[in-house]
Amino acid sequence: MGLGGTLLLLIAVMPFAGALLPGLMIRAGRNVCAISTAVPTFLALTMLVVLAPSVMQGDVVQAQIEWLPQLGLSASFFLDGLGLLFAGMILGVGLLITLYARFYLSGEDPMGQFYTYLLLFQGAMLGIVLSDNILLLLIFWELTSLSSFLLIGFWKHLPEGRQGARMALAVTGAGGLAMIGGMLILGNIVGSYNLTDILAAGDQIRASEWYLPALILILLGAFTKSAQFPFHFWLPHAMAAPTPVSAYLHSATMVKAGVFLLARMWPALAGTDAWFYIVSTTGLVTMVLGALIALFKDDLKALLAFSTVSHLGLLTMLLGFGTQAAAVAAVFHVINHLTFKAALFMTAGIVDHETHTRDIKRLGGLRHLMPITFLIGTAAALSMAGIPLFNGFLSKELMLEEASHTDWFGSAYAVPVMATIGALLSVAYSLRFISHVFLGPVRDDYPHKPHDPPFGMWAAPALLVAMVVIIGVAPFLAEGIVTAAANAVTGADLHPHLKIWHGFTPALWMSVIAVAGGIVLLLLHKPLDKLWIAAPRPEAKAIFDRLIAGLVSASRAITEIGHNGAISRYLAIFTASSVALGWVAYSSGGLSAPTRELLPVSPVIFVGWVMLIVATLSVVTMHHHRFRALVLIGIIGLSISAGFAYLSAPDLALTQISVETVTIMLLLLALHFMPKITPKESSAGLKLRDGVIALGAGGGVAALAYAFLLRDIETISDYHLANSYEGGGGTNVVNVILVDFRGYDTFGEIIVLGIAGLVIYAVMHALLDGPAARRLKNTDYSHDRSRDRHPMMMVVATRVMMPIAIVVGAYIFLRGHNQPGGGFVAGLVIAIALLMQYMASGFAWTQERQRMEYHTMIGLGVVIAGLTGVGSWLFGRPFLTSDFTYIHLPPIEEFEVATAMLFDLGVFLTVLGGVMLMLYSLSRIARFAGETVNVDPMDYDPADRITDEEER
Amino acid sequence: MHWIILPVVLPALLAPVIGFVMRHDITLARIASVAGTVLLLAIALGLAYMAADGTTHVYRLGNWPAPFGIVLVLDRLSALMVLLTSALALIVLIHAISTGWDARGRHFHALFQFQLMGICGAFLTGDIFNLFVFFEVLLIASYGLMIHSGGKDRMRAGLQYVVMNLAGSTLFLFALGTLYASTGTLNIADLALRVPEIPAEEAALVRVATILLMIVFAVKAALFPVQFWLPASYSNAPAPVAALFAIMTKVGAYAILRVHTTVFGPGSPGTEDLAGTWLFPAAIVTIAIGAFGVLGARRLMPLIAFSVVGSMGTLLVAVAVFSTTATTAALYYMVHSTFAAACLFLIADLVVTRRSGDALQPELPTRQNGLFAALFFAAAIAMAGMPPLSGFLGKLLVLDAIREPGLIGWAWSAILIGSLLTIIGFARAGSVLFWKSTAITVPDAEDGETEDSAASIQSPLATVGQVAPVMLALAVLGGLAIFAGPVSAYLDNTSAQLFDRAGYVEAVLSPVEER
């Protein structure tokens, strides 16, 4: 990468680098702001001029920086004739627009923002025309969509601006996405995303079976951007933007991007029938249709917008012809269209700025009031009409020449006739622009008295018109750049000669017809206009709006059907799909033969099984009565515990029983604040649905369990059994797994419990601060309150049991490592003992008699367990490595001390704290609901009895 | 080398201290929480550096040899995920503190740290039962965070969230039971050794386990048809929590990548066909659901939530291909979409708290309307997958990685059309929120009071601390785009390592010297 490459990179970066400048410099004033926009543009243009001579001679300047090689995306740029032409236009017109906008924008418009967007857009456009990598090109392509969205919606308080911006984004965005697909296919065919490689592989691409999809997708991108029929409708609505934007986007840049892409991809894609028919037909239709609509538009900018559509159609058609001469004509017309159209937009802007209207029917006679504007506008419009001595004439002649010998589906007349009609309409609306705005008598009903604008405002269009005339008179001046660009498009070595007089060619006669017919049409405009207004025609915006509205409401319908907030439905779908997919997975694989026999069913087991089934069915039928359901759930839990015990899993049984007890007790307490009956909500159909799903799921689980109970498999548990005593220091392998082999799991689970405590506490607070608190306060719970809140018998019984329960807890805790038990169960046992105290004597009374904070208890538990794990680091061992030793302290027998016990203490504390914090939260709610605080342990304390003697 | 377990132990020890010792002083809790998260980020960076050379580090808990004890495994993928988590956490935490969200309920910081512990634990574990445990930790902590500060709608959405995810956990247990019964182990490396030995004609049970596990992970990843819980949950959660949840869906995606690649993926004759076959169509439908949801949304928060659903669809389309290239693309997209989603939720929070709600209807513009509009525009661009932020590159990578002729048509049309609908949806929303609002004038702007000052009475100015997290997230997205080359080189190695089953098994199961 030499100096040229560096300059090229700088050119590409310059607008982005400078983009923030105007946004900041606006604080220094409007002139500084405009200048700070012009500086990066000017610098880039200067560098381009430096590179121009060598490029004109056919050199290609290249620069490359690797970006994402895995994808084949690199920040590589190249500058050839075509790139030079477009980059020059983008930067040159960019400068003129900057100047023009400085005078056009009013003091209320945020000018800094405007110029920032403008530079971003300019940078994106430059990127498109300089990219040497089609993925990079895609990036810039989408960036133009985004930045033009901002520019079109610049007057964000106007609905037209917002809608126009969204429409442009939707249409060009859709095209851009299609183009992504096309470009990726193209890259896959060639094996490279480098444009240079792709352009060299034209034959390979055209021969590929993927050619047609790629072509269509890429053309979708180009056609939407260049507003080709039927995607033309967004362009007129984009005119809601400030006029400098329109002038820039619709003459030199945005819409030309599509044409540029067609030209750029010409060597790779053109030359097939598909290309010819799709591209040239689309172009032809667009050209005629755009011109026709333009003739009847009363809004100056709309007229120009549709004329742009028409001229873009013309360019597309030329490129679609696929001949070298047509490519030359296209390149030349790009230049000419740029000069006259930009000048015309600026003229329209001046007229609007001065008269405060763009409605042609309210204008006329301005030539006397605005002579300079008149001159500029007329010259540009004549060029647009294709009148000799203006540059538009030259390229139109070339176009008609090409059209005159183009065959279309065997017809030699279709294209020439249509092209002539297009040219004719073009003459008509161009002349209308002149005569209905500037000619005729001076009116006295302009919304604002017009006069010529300051020099700064007409300087830019004047310069453009000067070019219109110079090229029109001396076309050979443009030969150099046209040659360079056309050679870049076609990849051939052409030497076109641009001249005014070609002799009496068919094209000349077509031109004559066009001009004569155009004048006739203009004279007939009034009656034709009435006819046009009366005729029914589809309104593109209405169709588009309906389409979007339809899409939105369809989306809403689809979304809201599924996401309606019914958790039962979500669960039904979840369960049903689990069962279905599970079945599919199962049935598509084979199953080895069972290795075990079925065991005989003992009577005890049978009874237990029946109990379980009956209890379960009862829950299903009686769940509306919540209290009963809770009792039944208790039965199920106990049956399961019995099952564990029977199947030689005493640890599980012990845990299950204590967990069962604690949860049922807490649920009972909570039930106090809830309705005792659940309303019936499900219809019979729903119940049937849910029943079928439930049976399916239950049956599935049963089938699974059955399948693997009959098969032996070698598991890692054998290792646990073998190493429990030797490595873990315990004979109870379940406990050793819990606190040692998989102590980390237990660590996680006690944290779950601790978090649950915290969450319940937090929810309780949120509830008591919210509207639920009012409901709690206003509900009367007294009717289902027992008359004996704290019966003496219960108080005494729990008081007696307390020390016993604590001893049992301690015992279970200590023996855990070798016998069923452990910290988890011990925590629950102690919790139950405390729970009973609270239930018997009331929360307040009990609370006063213990000092421990539950929050702290949970925290301490987690920290102790964690630190036990961390402790092993000190000995250079991983987290939670346990150690144990045997201590002999007379007179007690030798006993074991294991670090696992410390870990188990953490478990114990967390469990205890968690349960108690839940209880505490419930009691807070109870007090909130009007529960009185008791200071006495029982309702009737015999000790307080006033004896008969005392009474006496 | 205890570094590997620090992302779990640090928050696990910090959280109780914050929750139980510092619970009366929010400032103290904030300092501790930020310090812990910064430290976590530093550790994560260190771990990423450790893993970058391609070594698979194994940490044997309790010094038991695998597969008998639990192991933590640090490879490039898990290091990446922990790094992603900690970076996101810091951004979200700053937002939560600067907007005062953390003080609107109890125990925010303790739950936040526990949440981080759960997420990091899930990413680091090499044991599938342990994964279940950490799913529980992050579920219960996320539930607490989700209903932080309460409110009727939030409580209801929270209930749905927890019920749906508990159903998922239950299924997880069934799946684990089936898996253990058919392989006899739950260590991922050991599974990766044993499952390939099961021939197709004996694979029925392990196939059931495969598919059930996929559904479990799909619930987390919000994949059709188990995505229903996500929109309501995310849009009703406190915004910083929703932003943090951007990583939670990725836990599901990560689990699929880890388990369904290493264990059940290519090379396991009994199960290799399953995941891709079902994941792909589900992901396609998920994209559609997300796109329709974005376009049809009436409120801003659900709109963003649906865009998260859509992005998960795109991510899982790439995952479903189960090739190294596609996995690289998936990983890049995963990093991108995490920050993009978080960024959107954070900016939405700044806007919504200054309006009467998140309904998409014009209202008086807030102060700094331009700033919010710009930030929203940038975040929306990222999410919709438009340049110049990383979304576009992510999308290109995904599109480019799908090469199977049968899949291209579906995947490309879903992703591209989905993008279009998302773009239109975001454009409509932004246009109403930030543009249409400017057309509203104050009904009775009297005494020469300008529009701006009237609006300013209602909306407080955003502080630097409130804007900084959004900016940070955007900077990450920008950096991800600029440094796409080096990033995807790392990710290339990551997916190569993920598909190197033998290397993983060897690293984890190689005998230890001492016990």
Side-chain angles (χ1 to χ4, degrees):
Chain A
M1 186 162 57
L3 175 67
T6 316
L7 282 183
L8 184 58
L9 277 180
L10 281 175
I11 293 172
V13 168
M14 200 54 84
F16 293 113
L20 274 181
L21 216 56
L24 293 171
M25 284 303 170
I26 184 66
R27 295 176 180 274
R30 286 155 63 87
N31 284 331
V32 181
C33 178
I35 290 170
S36 68
T37 313
V39 166
T41 315
F42 183 75
L43 284 177
L45 192 60
T46 313
M47 290 187 269
L48 195 71
V49 169
V50 171
L51 293 178
S54 66
V55 175
M56 297 278 270
Q57 280 159 17
D59 289 348
V60 175
V61 183
Q62 282 182 312
Q64 183 169 10
I65 299 174
E66 276 303 327
W67 185 358
L68 185 48
Q70 288 85 348
L71 185 63
L73 166 65
S74 60
S76 48
F77 297 93
F78 78 135
L79 183 70
D80 63 352
L82 186 66
L84 179 68
L85 170 64
F86 272 88
M89 293 190 333
I90 292 162
L91 291 169
V93 179
L95 268 183
L96 296 179
I97 295 289
T98 309
L99 170 66
Y100 179 76
R102 158 66 188 84
F103 294 94
Y104 181 87
L105 290 179
S106 76
E108 286 161 23
D109 293 319
M111 187 188 262
Q113 224 176 68
F114 178 84
Y115 278 129
T116 297
Y117 295 164
L118 196 73
L119 278 179
L120 286 178
F121 178 77
Q122 182 180 302
M125 272 312 296
L126 262 186
I128 291 182
V129 302
L130 297 180
S131 291
D132 188 16
N133 182 295
I134 52 173
L135 298 181
L136 187 69
L137 190 149
L138 281 175
I139 290 178
F140 288 117
W141 188 271
E142 297 287 34
L143 280 180
T144 58
S145 297
L146 287 174
S147 47
S148 65
F149 172 74
L150 293 174
L151 280 170
I152 297 169
F154 180 69
W155 279 326
K156 44 190 177 281
H157 52 279
L158 300 179
E160 301 83 38
R162 297 195 295 269
Q163 289 161 11
R166 288 211 307 270
M167 188 190 278
L169 182 67
V171 176
T172 61
L177 291 167
M179 210 169 90
I180 293 178
M183 291 298 194
L184 287 175
I185 296 178
L186 213 54
N188 280 356
I189 296 174
V190 180
S192 161
Y193 288 119
N194 263 345
L195 198 51
T196 322
D197 297 339
I198 288 172
L199 295 186
D203 291 331
Q204 187 190 345
I205 293 167
R206 284 185 288 269
S208 163
E209 53 170 334
W210 287 92
Y211 168 72
L212 198 59
L215 177 69
I216 291 173
L217 288 172
I218 291 174
L219 288 181
L220 274 176
F223 288 173
T224 49
K225 205 71 150 189
S226 280
Q228 295 299 296
F229 179 81
F231 309 112
H232 61 286
F233 57 89
W234 69 264
L235 195 144
H237 291 285
M239 294 297 157
T243 301
V245 174
S246 313
Y248 198 34
L249 260 61
H250 305 128
S251 63
T253 53
M254 173 97 159
V255 295
K256 289 275 172 68
V259 173
F260 169 82
L261 190 80
L262 292 180
R264 183 89 281 176
M265 303 310 279
W266 201 85
L269 298 174
T272 60
D273 278 355
W275 169 274
F276 170 75
Y277 283 112
I278 298 176
V279 179
S280 64
T281 311
T282 310
L284 190 61
V285 172
T286 311
M287 176 171 82
V288 176
L289 202 69
L292 183 67
I293 301 175
L295 182 57
F296 297 103
K297 281 291 168 190
D298 290 333
D299 180 353
L300 268 186
K301 278 175 80 177
L303 186 152
L304 292 176
F306 277 104
S307 119
T308 303
V309 169
S310 170
H311 280 271
L312 291 167
L314 186 157
L315 289 168
T316 305
M317 179 183 76
L318 281 174
L319 289 167
F321 285 164
T323 61
Q324 294 178 341
V328 173
V331 168
F332 191 31
H333 194 65
V334 163
I335 302 174
N336 299 337
H337 177 246
L338 157 81
T339 49
F340 67 69
K341 191 51 69 63
L344 281 171
F345 267 117
M346 292 187 199
T347 309
I350 292 172
V351 170
D352 184 17
H353 200 259
E354 295 300 322
T355 64
H356 291 197
T357 182
R358 301 195 311 243
D359 190 341
I360 295 180
K361 292 204 167 126
R362 302 186 62 182
L363 294 169
L366 290 182
R367 74 176 185 283
H368 302 294
L369 299 169
M370 313 169 70
I372 301 173
T373 315
F374 166 63
L375 266 180
I376 295 170
T378 306
L382 287 177
S383 175
M384 178 160 76
I387 305 296
L389 299 185
F390 298 99
N391 60 0
F393 169 75
L394 302 165
S395 46
K396 195 179 64 177
E397 285 288 291
L398 290 178
M399 179 277 283
L400 290 173
E401 172 65 29
E402 282 306 303
S404 68
H405 50 73
T406 300
D407 227 34
W408 192 80
F409 281 115
S411 158
Y413 292 102
V415 175
V417 168
M418 291 297 282
T420 312
I421 294 176
L424 186 153
L425 290 167
S426 180
V427 171
Y429 67 68
S430 302
L431 295 182
R432 180 173 175 235
F433 181 90
I434 299 170
S435 72
H436 288 191
V437 175
F438 294 106
L439 304 183
V442 175
R443 300 168 63 151
D444 49 13
D445 60 346
Y446 305 117
H448 185 262
K449 183 81 177 148
H451 52 77
D452 268 322
F455 170 72
M457 204 155 172
W458 61 260
L463 192 66
L464 288 164
V465 163
M467 284 174 69
V468 165
V469 177
I470 291 171
I471 298 176
V473 176
F476 56 86
L477 288 176
E479 249 170 41
I481 181 70
V482 169
T483 309
N487 285 346
V489 172
T490 57
D493 190 19
L494 305 174
H495 298 284
H497 292 288
L498 306 173
K499 50 189 179 183
I500 302 177
W501 182 250
H502 293 265
F504 291 100
T505 54
L508 186 67
W509 295 119
M510 287 155 83
S511 254
V512 170
I513 296 172
V515 174
I519 293 170
V520 173
L521 270 190
L522 179 66
L523 295 175
L524 293 176
H525 186 264
K526 218 162 213 161
L528 286 175
D529 196 36
K530 282 201 184 105
L531 215 65
W532 175 263
I533 291 169
R537 56 208 138 103
E539 181 56 50
K541 178 161 188 308
I543 297 173
F544 178 80
D545 284 349
R546 268 206 303 280
L547 185 74
I548 293 285
L551 210 54
V552 169
S553 53
S555 303
R556 254 178 213 163
I558 293 170
T559 309
E560 282 164 12
I561 283 176
H563 304 80
N564 64 347
I567 184 73
S568 58
R569 183 184 300 186
Y570 302 171
L571 285 173
I573 294 173
F574 163 75
T575 315
S577 35
S578 302
V579 174
L581 283 179
W583 169 251
V584 169
Y586 174 84
S587 55
S588 53
L591 191 62
S592 57
T595 51
R596 283 190 193 175
E597 295 291 308
L598 278 179
L599 295 176
V601 180
S602 74
V604 183
I605 275 302
F606 185 74
V607 171
W609 184 74
V610 169
M611 222 167 84
L612 199 60
I613 298 288
V614 170
T616 309
L617 288 176
S618 310
V619 173
V620 172
T621 51
M622 290 187 218
H623 72 273
H624 288 291
H625 194 287
R626 285 176 165 163
F627 182 72
R628 238 173 264 163
L630 204 54
V631 173
L632 288 165
I633 290 172
I635 295 177
I636 295 173
L638 288 179
S639 315
I640 291 175
S641 317
F644 285 145
Y646 177 83
L647 293 169
S648 339
D651 277 283
L652 287 185
L654 207 53
T655 312
Q656 179 71 29
I657 289 178
S658 36
V659 167
E660 200 65 35
T661 316
V662 170
T663 41
I664 297 282
M665 278 165 101
L666 288 174
L667 280 173
L668 270 177
L669 289 172
L671 202 55
H672 177 63
F673 306 104
M674 294 163 73
K676 304 294 170 284
I677 307 284
T678 329
K680 292 189 197 286
E681 287 166 328
S682 311
S683 63
L686 270 183
K687 279 186 188 164
L688 186 69
R689 177 199 79 181
D690 294 346
V692 169
I693 293 174
L695 282 177
V701 173
L704 268 183
Y706 182 76
F708 53 68
L709 284 178
L710 287 183
R711 282 162 185 81
D712 285 300
I713 188 101
E714 192 194 326
T715 70
I716 54 169
S717 305
D718 301 338
Y719 176 90
H720 294 150
L721 287 170
N723 287 278
S724 170
Y725 184 71
E726 209 175 304
T731 50
N732 177 5
V733 68
V734 175
N735 185 273
V736 177
I737 289 178
L738 283 178
V739 299
D740 200 338
F741 289 121
R742 302 193 68 98
Y744 186 58
D745 278 346
T746 313
F747 184 56
E749 290 295 356
I750 61 168
I751 285 176
V752 171
L753 201 66
I755 300 173
L758 283 189
V759 171
I760 290 169
Y761 180 80
V763 170
M764 185 261 303
H765 263 282
L767 275 182
L768 297 187
D769 292 342
R774 237 172 302 133
R775 209 165 48 243
L776 264 179
K777 264 209 163 115
N778 294 333
T779 312
D780 183 18
Y781 294 102
S782 59
H783 58 274
D784 51 23
R785 207 167 268 158
S786 154
R787 298 232 186 109
D788 301 317
R789 274 176 72 195
H790 305 295
M792 185 182 80
M793 286 302 287
M794 187 163 164
V795 173
V796 173
T798 54
R799 213 58 54 77
V800 172
M801 278 176 64
M802 175 87 171
I804 304 172
I806 288 177
V807 170
V808 170
Y811 172 66
I812 287 179
F813 177 80
L814 288 174
R815 73 179 210 148
H817 218 43
N818 295 311
Q819 300 282 323
F824 191 85
V825 182
L828 287 173
V829 169
I830 304 279
I832 292 169
L834 289 175
L835 258 175
M836 290 196 307
Q837 300 302 316
Y838 284 86
M839 287 176 89
S841 302
F843 194 86
W845 184 88
T846 320
Q847 188 69 14
E848 253 178 30
R849 276 150 189 82
Q850 66 98 21
R851 298 272 172 268
M852 187 92 178
E853 271 206 71
Y854 307 126
H855 284 276
T856 317
M857 211 189 280
I858 299 177
L860 210 58
V862 174
V863 170
I864 287 178
L867 287 181
T868 311
V870 173
S872 40
W873 293 352
L874 300 179
F875 302 94
R877 298 289 169 84
F879 191 67
L880 281 177
T881 306
S882 70
D883 202 2
F884 56 89
T885 182
Y886 295 88
I887 297 178
H888 188 79
L889 274 182
I892 12 177
E893 280 181 55
E894 184 181 73
F895 64 96
E896 179 192 356
V897 175
T899 56
M901 194 169 265
L902 206 57
F903 180 76
D904 227 10
L905 180 68
V907 177
F908 170 82
L909 284 176
T910 312
V911 171
L912 183 59
V915 174
M916 296 315 287
L917 192 59
M918 293 174 201
L919 180 72
Y920 170 73
S921 303
L922 276 173
S923 84
R924 278 288 302 272
I925 293 175
R927 266 200 253 169
F928 207 83
E931 191 89 60
T932 47
V933 174
N934 59 313
V935 282
D936 295 322
M938 42 194 124
D939 299 332
Y940 176 70
D941 189 345
D944 294 343
R945 191 170 60 100
I946 300 164
T947 54
D948 292 350
E949 292 102 272
E950 278 172 339
E951 209 164 327
R952 260 184 234 127
Chain B
M1 292 308 280
H2 303 297
W3 290 105
I4 301 177
I5 198 165
L6 276 182
V8 178
V9 169
L10 172 72
L13 289 181
L14 187 59
V17 175
I18 292 176
F20 309 113
V21 181
M22 307 177 176
R23 73 193 149 108
H24 298 299
D25 190 319
I26 185 83
T27 310
L28 192 58
R30 282 173 175 175
I31 292 171
S33 193
V34 170
T37 313
V38 169
L39 206 57
L40 183 67
L41 181 60
I43 294 167
L45 282 169
L47 291 181
Y49 178 75
M50 252 171 82
D53 66 351
T55 325
T56 303
H57 299 267
V58 178
Y59 189 80
R60 293 178 177 80
L61 285 154
N63 212 12
W64 293 103
F68 310 109
I70 300 172
V71 291
L72 301 189
V73 181
L74 178 82
D75 57 2
R76 289 194 184 97
L77 181 58
S78 44
L80 171 75
M81 299 310 291
V82 171
L83 183 59
L84 185 61
T85 308
S86 53
L88 178 75
L90 190 60
I91 289 174
V92 169
L93 189 63
I94 298 171
H95 179 94
I97 292 174
S98 64
T99 53
W101 260 111
D102 61 340
R104 289 180 209 170
R106 304 285 166 134
H107 288 315
F108 180 87
H109 292 287
L111 290 171
F112 190 86
Q113 293 297 328
F114 274 133
Q115 171 85 67
L116 293 184
M117 174 219 168
I119 298 173
C120 291
F123 288 144
L124 284 170
T125 189
D127 186 285
I128 202 165
F129 186 82
N130 193 241
L131 184 65
F132 167 79
V133 171
F134 279 99
F135 267 33
E136 294 302 286
V137 174
L138 62 86
L139 168 62
I140 189 81
S142 65
Y143 174 60
L145 285 174
M146 213 210 114
I147 56 176
H148 176 73
S149 95
K152 192 174 156 204
D153 292 339
R154 188 169 295 153
M155 296 299 280
R156 181 188 298 141
L159 185 71
Q160 296 200 346
Y161 170 75
V162 81
V163 167
M164 196 64 209
N165 278 282
L166 281 178
S169 296
T170 312
L171 189 66
F172 202 163
L173 279 183
F174 289 152
L176 288 180
T178 314
L179 192 60
Y180 190 71
S182 47
T183 61
T185 187
L186 291 172
N187 176 291
I188 293 176
D190 202 23
L191 283 168
L193 195 66
R194 294 195 196 191
V195 170
E197 289 167 3
I198 302 176
E201 49 274 13
E202 287 178 20
L205 287 180
V206 76
R207 283 172 73 82
V208 175
T210 310
I211 209 81
L212 293 187
L213 276 178
M214 201 188 81
I215 298 173
V216 171
F217 301 149
V219 171
K220 282 272 179 287
L223 196 66
F224 176 81
V226 282
Q227 89 294 353
F228 295 102
W229 60 271
L230 187 139
S233 308
Y234 279 36
S235 50
N236 284 305
V241 173
L244 181 68
F245 281 12
I247 192 74
M248 297 272 287
T249 43
K250 305 326 184 264
V251 177
Y254 164 84
I256 292 177
L257 268 180
R258 174 70 79 195
V259 174
H260 287 85
T261 304
T262 311
V263 177
F264 304 117
S268 295
T271 54
E272 61 187 355
D273 60 309
L274 266 179
T277 309
W278 292 100
L279 207 51
F280 186 79
I284 295 286
V285 180
T286 310
I287 294 178
I289 289 174
F292 287 132
V294 169
L295 190 57
R298 296 168 202 267
R299 297 191 297 126
L300 180 59
M301 289 301 188
L303 182 138
I304 301 173
F306 274 107
S307 74
V308 171
V309 173
S311 73
M312 287 313 292
T314 308
L315 167 55
L316 286 159
V317 160
V319 170
V321 176
F322 289 107
S323 74
T324 46
T325 330
T327 303
T328 305
L331 291 175
Y332 185 90
Y333 194 82
M334 166 143 63
V335 178
H336 149 77
S337 65
T338 305
F339 284 105
C343 187
L344 269 174
F345 275 117
L346 295 184
I347 176 68
D349 184 45
L350 294 183
V351 175
V352 168
T353 49
R354 284 167 177 75
R355 292 165 54 94
S356 63
D358 69 338
L360 291 173
Q361 52 201 13
E363 243 176 56
L364 263 183
T366 59
R367 283 210 286 179
Q368 299 168 302
N369 184 44
L371 173 70
F372 294 141
L375 294 177
F376 181 80
F377 185 68
I381 281 177
M383 196 62 178
M386 295 283 269
L389 297 177
S390 47
F392 191 71
L393 296 182
K395 194 162 69 182
L396 280 187
L397 279 168
V398 172
L399 290 173
D400 188 62
I402 297 165
R403 297 285 176 120
E404 277 94 312
L407 307 184
I408 283 186
W410 288 104
W412 284 21
S413 16
I415 292 175
L416 293 175
I417 296 174
S419 295
L420 179 65
L421 298 185
T422 311
I423 292 167
I424 297 176
F426 272 113
R428 285 168 58 90
S431 161
V432 168
L433 286 175
F434 303 109
W435 284 2
K436 205 167 181 180
S437 297
T438 59
I440 299 183
T441 44
V442 189
D444 46 354
E446 37 193 298
D447 308 332
E449 203 178 26
T450 64
E451 231 175 87
D452 197 52
S453 66
S456 66
I457 294 167
Q458 296 163 357
S459 68
L461 277 176
T463 61
V464 175
Q466 290 171 347
V467 179
V470 179
M471 295 280 202
L472 265 176
L474 286 175
V476 172
L477 293 173
L480 209 53
I482 293 172
F483 301 108
V487 169
S488 40
Y490 185 91
L491 298 180
D492 256 345
N493 292 331
T494 307
S495 43
Q497 194 178 22
L498 182 65
F499 277 82
D500 177 18
R501 185 198 297 243
Y504 185 85
V505 170
E506 149 94 58
V508 176
L509 296 186
S510 64
V512 269
E513 318 77 59
E514 48 165 354
R515 164 70 205 181

